[in-house]
């Protein structure tokens, strides 16, 4: 199968230019869908990709908008492309070694695509359905602004990601802090790290676009991303409201006004198993947004994918303690893993006249469950980094030194702690950690057992307000968990809270002396 067609070249006009037209919903502009008929690392069987730009590539190369993993050995790095040709689309063969089939027929050059066609990358390779939604449903404007922005990042910017990291690099350098362990945020969507990617001169040169034209694209994209009103519309349009999510999750605890107690509280436990009942699995259930205009909406974390999990623990003075980034994730929208767009949007709302509340369920290995709200916790925001975007809107970001949160519970029992010894630990002191890394240890509501970890003190005393460890065996989901040292009598005593990590070996622990 071969036809004459427009010559295919990967171009900025076909990706970024076409994507910008889709963002602003050009009149009569249409899109199509690719239905994945084969399961892969990047797409479940039956998953649907909406394509809003004029040209996409299919293959194993990370720059391909429709990507397949390395297990598909007969799929080339750049296997095929789908390009807009007039009012329709064509399938273009790119690979010189592996064939492409359309409805079972080999494509030697290119061929027009029709609604309902089946594309197969190599004999026996993955299959895709080509679907063109009909009527008004097939217009780009039928896709919400938030989804169009997300599709723009995934499709228009993906081929140019190497050259497009400049502004993001500046932003990270300006306000970078240590790595933070938010688990399962936004279904681990790696594309959330590209919020503030801008098109730079390298891409303009490579695609023969002059600097003025490129700057116009950059300015237009920046206005869309940084305008708070559009961010508000984004939050409203992207997430299906579910008011029932909040019902039954009203706080069942009374916030504490603080604690002035110090020193070791009772002798502690002799075995790690004795500590289990007081280590809780924390999971977001719902959240509530009050927009700058006063409108209030409630959402389910399970329905929207905006949520996370972590660890908390009960002290024997009645305080329930965790890391602040487990409770106020929107204050830690940037981490060693990159930028979380969803949290950044929430941060923009909080810092520009709105507010956010998250509701949690906390599960104990003994079967106790209590619900709480982020506003119940006592936190320290005095050292938060703050700034203003060029558009005039404000942002803030938490720091490791104050990465703790606590509230006062009316529960009995708890872990012994020492808020003096934690500031005087010697190098090579062995520490024990309990938590729920990657949600492990949570088999069901009735089967919860924290996972054991360890770390070694890397430097004597506190380092910029935190305990620095090496040989650190903590993972995502351990955040907020208790860190123990073993005293001379063999008792396990809490001296800190798991905060985050630096690289793959160093860990950061918030000392109990800070938790006031």
């Amino acid at each position: 199968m071969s036809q004459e067609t427009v010559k295919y070249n990967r171009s900025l006009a076909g990706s970024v230019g076409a994507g910008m037209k889709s963002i602003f919903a050009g009149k009569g502009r249409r899109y199509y869908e690719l239905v994945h008929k084969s399961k892969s690392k990047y797409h479940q069987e039956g998953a649907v990709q909406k394509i809003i730009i004029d040209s996409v590539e299919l293959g194993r190369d990370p720059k391909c908008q429709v990507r397949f993993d390395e297990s598909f050995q007969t799929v080339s790095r750049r296997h095929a492309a789908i390009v807009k040709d007039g009012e329709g689309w064509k399938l273009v063969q790119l690979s010189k070694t592996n064939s492409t089939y359309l409805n079972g027929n080999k494509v030697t050059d290119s061929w027009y695509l029709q609604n309902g066609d089946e594309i197969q990358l190599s004999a026996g390779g993955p299959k895709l359905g080509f679907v063109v939604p009909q009527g008004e449903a097939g217009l780009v404007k039928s896709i919400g602004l938030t989804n169009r922005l997300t599709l723009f990042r995934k499709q228009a910017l993906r081929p140019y990601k190497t050259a497009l990291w400049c502004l993001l690099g500046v932003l990270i350098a300006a306000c970078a802090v240590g790595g933070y362990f938010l688990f399962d945020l936004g279904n681990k969507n790696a594309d959330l790290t590209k919020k503030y990617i801008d098109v730079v001169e390298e891409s303009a040169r490579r695609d023969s676009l002059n600097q003025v034209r490129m700057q116009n694209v950059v300015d237009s994209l920046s206005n869309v991303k940084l305008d708070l009103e559009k961010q508000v519309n984004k939050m409203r349009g992207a997430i299906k409201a579910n008011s029932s999510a909040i019902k039954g999750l009203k706080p069942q605890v009374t916030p504490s006004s603080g604690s002035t107690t110090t020193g070791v509280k009772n002798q502690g436990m002799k075995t790690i198993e004795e500590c289990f009942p007081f280590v809780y699995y924390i999971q977001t259930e719902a959240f509530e947004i009050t927009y700058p205009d006063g409108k209030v909406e409630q959402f389910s974390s399970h329905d929207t994918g905006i949520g996370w999990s972590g660890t908390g623990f009960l002290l024997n003075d009645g305080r329930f303690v965790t890391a602040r980034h487990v409770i106020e994730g929107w204050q830690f929208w940037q981490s060693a893993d990159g930028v979380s767009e969803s949290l950044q949007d929430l941060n923009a709302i909080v810092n520009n006249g709105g507010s956010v509340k998250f509701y949690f369920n906390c599960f104990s290995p003994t079967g106790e469950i209590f619900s709480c709200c982020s506003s119940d916790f006592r936190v320290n925001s005095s050292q938060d980094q703050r700034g203003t975007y060029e558009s005039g809107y404000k942002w803030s970001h938490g720091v490791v030194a104050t990465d703790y949160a606590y509230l006062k519970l009316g529960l009995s029992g708890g872990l012994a702690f020492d808020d003096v010894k934690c500031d005087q630990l010697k190098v090579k002191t062995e520490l024990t950690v309990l938590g729920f890394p990657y949600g492990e240890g949570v088999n069901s509501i009735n089967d919860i057992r924290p996972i054991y970890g360890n770390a070694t003190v890397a430097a004597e005393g506190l380092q910029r307000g935190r305990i620095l460890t090496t040989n650190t065996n903590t993972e995502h989901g351990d955040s907020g968990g208790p860190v123990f040292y073993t005293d001379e009598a063999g008792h396990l005593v809490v001296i800190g809270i798991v905060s985050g990590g630096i690289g793959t070996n160093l860990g950061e622990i918030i000392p109990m002396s800070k938790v006031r």
Side-chain angles (χ1 to χ4, degrees):
M1 302 175 66
S2 179
Q3 290 181 344
E4 291 185 2
T5 184
V6 291
K7 184 178 180 181
Y8 171 74
N9 287 300
R10 178 187 283 170
S11 70
L12 201 66
S15 56
V16 175
M20 290 302 296
K21 292 177 183 178
S22 292
I23 286 178
F24 295 106
K27 184 177 180 181
R29 187 170 179 81
R30 305 191 73 83
Y31 73 95
Y32 64 90
E33 298 176 339
L34 292 176
V35 181
H36 289 262
K37 297 184 177 182
S38 305
K39 182 179 180 181
S40 70
K41 176 181 178 181
Y42 303 108
H43 305 282
Q44 293 296 319
E45 183 177 356
V48 176
Q49 279 186 274
K50 290 182 172 66
I51 306 298
I52 65 171
I53 63 176
D54 290 352
S55 63
V56 295
E57 294 186 1
L58 297 72
R60 292 186 293 114
D61 193 294
K63 294 181 180 180
C64 289
Q65 293 94 338
V66 183
R67 187 181 176 190
F68 296 89
D69 59 73
E70 298 299 321
S71 66
F72 294 92
Q73 297 181 2
T74 58
V75 175
S76 298
R77 305 294 291 177
R78 297 176 65 203
H79 194 111
I82 299 176
V83 298
K84 189 172 180 62
D85 193 348
E87 295 301 316
W89 289 272
K90 280 189 174 182
L91 177 64
V92 180
Q93 172 69 10
L94 298 182
S95 175
K96 296 180 180 180
T97 57
N98 295 305
S99 300
T100 302
Y101 297 87
L102 182 61
N103 300 323
N105 298 308
K106 184 177 180 180
V107 177
T108 57
D109 184 9
S110 65
W111 197 262
Y112 281 111
L113 287 164
Q114 303 293 329
N115 188 22
D117 281 348
E118 182 178 81
I119 301 167
Q120 185 173 18
L121 305 185
S122 75
K127 296 179 179 180
L128 298 161
F130 179 82
V131 178
V132 181
Q134 302 300 300
E136 292 290 322
L139 296 177
V140 172
K141 68 179 182 180
S142 68
I143 304 174
L145 174 61
T146 299
N147 289 336
R148 295 202 301 273
L149 285 170
T150 299
L151 294 173
F152 177 88
R153 286 189 300 275
K154 292 181 178 180
Q155 297 171 16
L157 297 183
R158 181 179 290 275
Y160 308 100
K161 65 178 182 179
T162 300
L164 302 177
W165 277 100
C166 291
L167 182 60
L168 181 61
V170 173
L171 180 63
I172 291 177
C175 57
V177 294
Y180 291 91
F181 291 136
L182 287 180
F183 170 66
D184 201 28
L185 176 62
N187 295 326
K188 304 174 185 176
N189 188 340
D191 291 319
L192 294 177
T193 63
K194 300 179 180 65
K195 170 132 178 124
Y196 287 98
I197 296 177
D198 291 301
V199 181
V200 294
E201 189 176 19
E202 171 64 21
S203 295
R205 181 190 61 76
R206 184 175 55 215
D207 291 278
S208 301
L209 294 175
N210 62 57
Q211 187 174 0
V212 173
R213 181 181 174 187
M214 179 54 62
Q215 189 59 51
N216 289 337
V217 174
V218 173
D219 291 342
S220 297
L221 183 57
S222 296
N223 289 336
V224 171
K225 291 177 184 247
L226 296 180
D227 188 280
L228 180 61
E229 183 59 34
K230 286 188 172 60
Q231 290 183 355
V232 170
N233 290 336
K234 176 178 182 178
M235 294 303 299
R236 290 177 178 171
I239 308 171
K240 180 180 179 182
N242 184 353
S243 299
S244 63
I246 301 297
K247 294 179 181 179
L249 288 177
K250 296 302 181 182
Q252 301 174 13
V253 297
T254 303
S256 171
S257 59
S259 173
T260 58
T261 56
T262 61
V264 178
K265 310 304 171 188
N266 80 35
Q267 292 184 326
M269 286 79 173
K270 281 279 190 178
T271 67
I272 198 68
E273 289 77 15
E274 293 179 272
C275 302
F276 282 8
F278 308 109
V279 181
Y280 287 68
Y281 174 68
I282 302 176
Q283 179 176 305
T284 55
E285 296 293 336
F287 59 101
E288 180 179 278
I289 297 175
T290 301
Y291 296 99
D293 61 4
K295 181 176 176 61
V296 178
E297 289 188 309
Q298 300 166 337
F299 309 101
S300 163
S301 293
H302 303 287
D303 291 345
T304 62
I306 298 180
W308 53 86
S309 68
T311 305
F313 56 96
L314 183 66
L315 294 175
N316 58 16
D317 66 355
R319 286 182 294 169
F320 181 75
V321 180
T322 185
R324 183 188 174 196
H325 73 265
V326 172
I327 300 303
E328 294 186 346
W330 64 89
Q331 289 299 138
F332 297 84
W333 47 269
Q334 179 178 284
S335 72
D337 295 329
V339 173
S340 165
E341 180 185 324
S342 296
L343 293 181
Q344 195 171 39
D345 288 336
L346 295 175
N347 185 272
I349 290 172
V350 168
N351 282 284
N352 294 277
S355 63
V356 172
K357 291 182 180 180
F358 267 76
Y359 293 85
F360 306 88
N361 274 337
C362 304
F363 303 88
S364 166
T366 59
E368 292 182 353
I369 303 174
F370 73 88
S371 299
C372 56
C373 177
S374 57
S375 60
D376 297 327
F377 285 80
R378 183 181 179 89
V379 300
N380 181 356
S381 60
S382 62
Q383 298 182 41
D384 286 4
Q385 297 175 334
R386 303 180 188 277
T388 304
Y389 297 118
E390 291 182 0
S391 61
Y393 295 111
K394 300 175 182 178
W395 61 267
S396 63
H397 200 288
V399 297
V400 175
T402 55
D403 188 19
Y404 64 86
Y406 70 90
L407 55 78
K408 189 76 172 181
L409 289 176
L411 300 177
S412 60
L415 301 172
F417 67 97
D418 192 325
D419 51 14
V420 175
K421 179 71 174 181
C422 59
D423 295 354
Q424 305 167 357
L425 295 174
K426 302 296 183 181
V427 176
K428 296 185 178 181
T429 300
E430 295 298 322
L431 305 176
T432 300
V433 178
L434 286 179
F436 300 94
Y438 296 106
E440 292 296 328
V442 184
N443 302 308
S444 70
I445 293 179
N446 299 318
D447 185 9
I448 296 177
R449 287 168 288 180
I451 303 300
Y452 169 85
N454 54 56
T456 304
V457 175
E460 185 172 349
L462 301 185
Q463 304 295 311
R464 294 201 299 273
R466 81 265 201 249
I467 301 168
L468 194 63
T469 62
T470 188
N471 301 322
T472 306
N473 183 18
T474 56
E475 301 287 354
H476 295 274
D478 280 320
S479 292
V483 181
F484 306 85
Y485 91 104
T486 304
D487 66 14
E488 293 80 1
H491 297 116
L492 290 163
V493 179
V494 176
I495 52 85
I497 309 164
V498 175
S499 175
I502 306 173
T504 59
N505 187 50
L506 294 179
E508 296 173 298
I509 295 170
I510 306 303
M512 291 306 299
S513 58
K514 297 282 186 180
V515 187
R516 301 185 184 283

